[in-house]
Every structure is written in structure tokens, then in C-alpha cells.
Amino acid sequence: MLKNFIEELKWRGLLHDVMPGTEELLLKESVSGYVGFDPTAKSLTIGNLVTVMLLVHFQKSGHKPIALVGGATGMIGDPSFKNEERKFLSDEDVRFNMECIKKQLEHFLDFDENNANNAEIVNNYDWFKDISFLQFLRDVGKHLTINYMCAKDSVKKRLESGLSFTEFSYQLLQGYDFYHLNKTKNIKIQMGGSDQWGNITSGTELIRRKSGNEAYALTCPLLTKSDGTKFGKSEGQNIWLDPDLTSPYKFYQFWLNSSDEEALKNIKIFTTFEREHIENLEKEHLENPHLRILQKELAKDITCRVHSVDDYNQAIEASELLFGKGTFESLSRLNEKTIINIFEGVPQSIITRDIIENSINIVDFLVDKTNVFPSKGEARRMIKSNAVSINKNRTEEDKIVNKDDLINNKYIIVQKGKKNYHLVICE
RNA sequence: GGGGGGAUACCAGAGCGGUCAAAUGGGACAGACUGUAAAUCUGUUGGCGAUGCCUUCGGAGGUUCGAAUCCUCCUCCCCCCA
């Protein structure tokens, strides 16, 4: 009943590094393993989703996944591969973020206590809050040398530019987490992104020295886009799991917009589809690339899981209208409720009715009244390069906007380029 | 402590008294082509009431008809010698 977890990660492209003996252990018995999440924001991003998927597959392979939310470590800040010292988060922020993240994790893992390998969430603040500084230095600090700690790639960069004692200590805290979980919950393996390798091995080392137990580690690659830039951002914006921060429509669009190469890579990483199923999808895709099957399946699966089937359907409906054969006529036929649904999550501005009644030049409309563009120069440039549409019709610089442009006597749909919409509501 | 080099638009980096709103490359955005893909090609990348005006070249002053460019002071970075 145990599946080969390592094998699974391998073909999915989710394995970067693994400690010797890990595979044997995982095949021999059902093991508890954990991944840590820092509560630096009130929501996880799709970047964090990669390590969430490690836990998901871990559980599916018959092991017991633990998500650690770093209530304590979040107050310190991980220096790994960062360029500079980070700001502290306030106590309340950490606690608030932690609660939010906890709820998000519950979407992915099975917490049903009737199952032997049900998921659990732990918070390292619970065991750190009662440890005194002196006690920590005696119990933990004594076991790892500065030389060992400095040798980590993750801190090397910062040794040149400066690193506070606080952040330097981070790996001890994370190492102690692992030790504590190993001792109290018999957790034998820690997983994470490849940037965490240094911190994780501090943990296995600490365990070995303090208790003589064997502990294991495994990391997944950090995702980058095929052009090498950071994954998970759209126009410089993070893609969040929280629908208030990234609307389901935008979320869906993000995945749908993947290039072929990325879609193939990501469908393995972010879905739980079986290997054979993915290979079939890939084959279909190659036969009919214009149908974008990989992108659609990928976007569908993730959107449904992170948000809901309803959100997905709505995103589809919106996408079809906005990118399909939408015309001024078809848009005019929509009722108000549909419009509101479709444009949920699309930037909007509200203007007063007299502006339209009195007619207004397109540039003033787009800059002064609605902030579609930050400056008139840019608005004119965009219009000149054929990038601006009003209600699906290309517009000219001398266009006057008046009440004939209102859809449903209330809405104007502005398009900047092919993909960016802006809804103007006239009240 | 002594000596030297530097800070320019999102980033890298030229310019070293007027012709500089500032070369070039990257990034970003847009257009064409397409499949809401990739590649490619093209355009844009300080603001405005726009053949002109205003604000920008680390900060503050000064010289000059005129300064990113010269001088003084300050802040921060890098290198070399002790």
C-alpha cells in the first residue's frame, strides 16, 4: 500500500536533492514528514504551492504529512540566499498570517482523523515560547559549530554584506524544530525547496548529535520560468491563493497563459494526475496544439482545488466572453448580473453619470476619470499603437465617449492590449 | 592613517561645458504573425494645454550667458598601500 514516493517525485520533476537512505526508509514503512511555511504574508503564493504538493504526494504515497507553520521562526526571518536583512513582522501579524495559512493548507491535505496517515498542522511557537535563551544556548547552540553554520551556501552570500546574529541563528531554530518533531512525533524527514537544504541539514545534524537518531531530507527544485525569471509572478505581481489578493479569474488566466513548455512542466508539478493521463494529454496537445489542452487542464485542476468549481466555471465563462468571439452586440445582450460576475476580479472604476452625459474625450476619460493609464502621454501612445479598445472596438485618439457607448446604460468595457480589461461603471 | 575610483532613467552602462530628456544592451509594455503558446520582426519606455514649456543624472551650495559634465562641502559604495 506504500507507493514509491521518490519515484513519483522524480518523474514529476519535483526532486532536487535527497539524502542517502531516504528512499529505502520510505519503502520500508509509513513515515511522518514535514514541510515548513513562514507566515510572512496572510496568504500562500503559487510558489509555496510547490512544497504543498510535496506533502500532497507524500500523503498519497501512504505517509503522514505535517505542515509546520512558523509562528516562532517567522518572527526571526530566514536569511537563506536573501540579499539583505529583513524587517520584523509584528506579533499580531504573524499570528494572523498563521491562521490564514492554516486555512489554506486545509484545502489540499486530508485531515480526517479516521485515516492513519491524516495530515496535521503544528506551530513551532508552541515549543519555542517556553524555552529561555540560556537554555537554548546550552541545549542547542553547543551542538553545532560556527564553522559548520558559516559553511552553508545559504549564509555565505550574507557573510560579505552583513548578517545579524538574529538571522544567523535561524538555522538553529529550524534545526531545533526538526529535532523536536523527531523526538516528540517521530518525524523522520523534512522536505522543502532547494534553498532550504542548508537549514534542513542543520536539523539532521542536530538530531544525529543530540539523540543519535537517523533523520532524512529531501528538496524540490525552485521553480523558474523557462526564461529564467522568477516563477509565479504576473506583471510583477505575485499570484496568491487568497481570492481577495488574486481573483479566481486572474488566477485561472495565469495558468491558462502558460507557454507549452511550462504547461507541460507544471501539470506534472501542480496536479495529481496519473502519469499515463498526463502523457495522453501531452499527446493530444501535440496533435492539436491550438486547442491548448495542457493549459486548460492545468488551469482547471488548480483553480478548482484552490478556489472552487463555481469559481472555475465563472472564470471560464468570463474568459470565453472576453477572449472569444465577444463583440459589442454580444456584450450588449448580457444582463447586469452576468456582467458583474464576469468582471469580478477585473480592475474597475466608478464615474458619475454626468461625465458621460456631457461627452468626454477618450484621453481625458482614460486618464483623469478612470486611471486606466497613469499619464496622457502613455494613453495617446497606446491608442496610436492600436492597443486600446472600447467595448471591443479599436479606438482612435479623437474618439468622444458619450452615452451611446454605455452597455446596459451603465458599463463601458475598456481593453488595454489583448489581455487587460478594465470595467468602467457609470453611476 | 595614506592614496585612488565611483554614485546617471526599472537594471546594467556610455556621456565629462552648449547640438542631452541623456547613446547602447537587458527588462517591461504594445503592435504584426499565431494557438490568450514559442520564436521572429516593429514600435514605445520623464510629465504637460506639446515645432514649445516644466521636472530629472547621490544630497546641498557655487562658478558660468549656459552644468549630468567645472569648483566646495556632505552622504554612501568600491579598490590599493599601511
Side-chain angles (χ1 to χ4, degrees):
Chain A
M1 79 167 251
L2 289 178
K3 269 171 58 187
N4 189 334
F5 176 61
I6 301 286
E7 203 47 55
E8 182 80 15
L9 295 189
K10 267 188 194 156
W11 78 261
R12 287 184 186 274
L14 270 170
L15 190 67
H16 183 262
D17 224 332
V18 58
M19 261 184 149
T22 308
E23 186 166 5
E24 290 76 2
L25 172 79
L26 290 170
L27 286 172
K28 201 172 68 196
E29 57 186 281
S30 176
V31 175
S32 297
Y34 87 101
V35 171
F37 299 92
D38 263 349
T40 46
K42 74 164 193 167
S43 170
L44 297 173
T45 67
I46 56 176
N48 301 122
L49 209 49
V50 183
T51 52
V52 174
M53 292 312 291
L54 285 179
L55 288 178
V56 170
H57 291 298
F58 194 66
Q59 185 167 41
K60 281 178 88 82
S61 301
H63 303 288
K64 184 177 171 72
I66 314 286
L68 179 149
V69 183
T73 34
M75 298 178 76
I76 299 302
D78 181 3
S80 298
F81 304 102
K82 304 279 186 335
N83 293 321
E84 47 190 49
E85 189 86 6
R86 290 198 282 166
K87 279 181 282 193
F88 278 136
L89 290 161
S90 77
D91 234 11
E92 306 92 82
D93 283 348
V94 169
R95 213 159 310 153
F96 175 74
N97 292 343
M98 225 179 59
E99 287 307 315
C100 296
I101 288 171
K102 235 171 156 173
K103 285 198 194 96
Q104 292 186 333
L105 287 169
E106 285 166 3
H107 280 266
F108 299 95
L109 297 163
D110 178 8
F111 286 84
D112 186 349
E113 290 179 20
N114 297 318
N115 295 331
N117 64 332
N118 65 317
E120 285 180 37
I121 292 184
V122 295
N123 175 6
N124 60 10
Y125 187 73
D126 290 341
W127 54 87
F128 274 119
K129 66 176 192 294
D130 298 324
I131 299 180
S132 75
F133 184 62
L134 285 176
Q135 200 184 336
F136 187 75
L137 290 181
R138 291 175 67 97
D139 286 354
V140 183
K142 195 71 177 168
H143 295 279
L144 295 180
T145 64
I146 290 279
N147 317 53
Y148 175 80
M149 291 169 72
C150 288
K152 309 263 171 187
D153 281 345
S154 52
V155 300
K156 265 187 190 157
K157 190 182 281 177
R158 287 287 298 282
L159 284 177
E160 287 159 23
S161 62
L163 169 70
S164 69
F165 178 72
T166 305
E167 285 199 10
F168 180 64
S169 315
Y170 185 91
Q171 59 173 295
L172 287 184
L173 295 183
Q174 188 168 326
Y176 184 77
D177 280 341
F178 197 2
Y179 167 76
H180 176 87
L181 291 170
N182 178 259
K183 195 176 74 175
T184 59
K185 284 178 158 313
N186 195 29
I187 289 176
K188 292 186 179 167
I189 175 165
Q190 182 180 175
M191 298 168 278
S194 59
D195 58 333
Q196 292 299 309
W197 185 255
N199 290 334
I200 295 174
T201 51
S202 289
T204 56
E205 193 62 21
L206 191 64
I207 291 171
R208 191 163 298 143
R209 297 198 187 182
K210 265 180 81 77
S211 58
N213 290 345
E214 281 297 310
Y216 299 87
L218 164 164
T219 56
C220 62
L222 291 181
L223 284 197
T224 50
K225 289 203 258 185
S226 38
D227 60 8
T229 58
K230 197 164 179 189
F231 172 80
K233 303 229 168 161
S234 155
E235 290 161 46
Q237 301 257 295
N238 253 318
I239 304 291
W240 303 93
L241 303 196
D242 185 329
D244 292 336
L245 298 175
T246 300
S247 71
Y249 164 76
K250 218 175 157 195
F251 187 85
Y252 174 79
Q253 281 288 327
F254 173 83
W255 297 104
L256 192 66
N257 263 307
S258 313
S259 65
D260 290 4
E261 209 181 324
E262 277 162 30
L264 181 59
K265 202 172 95 188
N266 289 341
I267 202 164
K268 292 180 196 153
I269 293 176
F270 292 103
T271 72
T272 52
F273 295 162
E274 297 297 323
R275 185 169 195 165
E276 199 183 324
H277 182 51
I278 290 181
E279 279 164 1
N280 283 338
L281 288 175
E282 187 185 356
K283 222 174 90 201
E284 275 182 64
H285 181 91
L286 287 173
E287 279 161 15
N288 287 300
H290 64 283
L291 294 179
R292 307 165 61 78
I293 288 167
L294 282 173
Q295 282 91 339
K296 282 180 186 166
E297 287 297 313
L298 171 67
K300 174 182 176 179
D301 189 66
I302 308 189
T303 307
C304 289
R305 220 145 18 92
V306 170
H307 298 293
S308 70
V309 177
D310 281 351
D311 286 325
Y312 161 72
N313 285 328
Q314 220 165 82
I316 287 264
E317 196 184 341
S319 301
E320 269 170 9
L321 263 151
L322 297 179
F323 290 96
K325 59 271 166 205
T327 59
F328 180 53
E329 283 67 40
S330 68
L331 291 169
S332 305
R333 264 181 264 123
L334 300 174
N335 62 36
E336 181 153 4
K337 192 161 182 268
T338 316
I339 291 181
I340 290 173
N341 281 342
I342 289 175
F343 286 93
E344 201 201 347
V346 168
Q348 308 189 345
S349 331
I350 295 171
I351 59 170
T352 54
R353 184 155 287 273
D354 57 295
I355 293 169
I356 299 296
E357 300 277 344
N358 296 333
S359 299
I360 179 168
N361 166 270
I362 183 75
V363 176
D364 294 331
F365 174 74
L366 293 176
V367 180
D368 295 339
K369 304 303 176 196
T370 59
N371 292 319
V372 174
F373 294 104
S375 76
K376 294 188 179 177
E378 184 169 339
R380 291 205 183 92
R381 272 201 301 275
M382 284 296 160
I383 292 172
K384 270 200 199 101
S385 62
N386 254 331
V388 181
S389 294
I390 298 290
N391 298 328
K392 283 278 178 185
N393 294 322
R394 282 276 151 79
T395 195
E396 304 286 334
E397 206 181 317
D398 51 13
K399 158 93 178 164
I400 303 293
V401 180
N402 60 34
K403 57 183 188 308
D404 294 340
D405 294 305
L406 291 173
I407 288 177
N408 253 320
N409 199 29
K410 188 169 178 187
Y411 302 100
I412 294 176
I413 295 160
V414 180
Q415 223 175 324
K416 175 197 148 204
K418 236 176 289 190
K419 299 177 188 174
N420 303 298
Y421 283 85
H422 192 108
L423 180 67
V424 179
I425 304 167
C426 176
E427 290 191 332

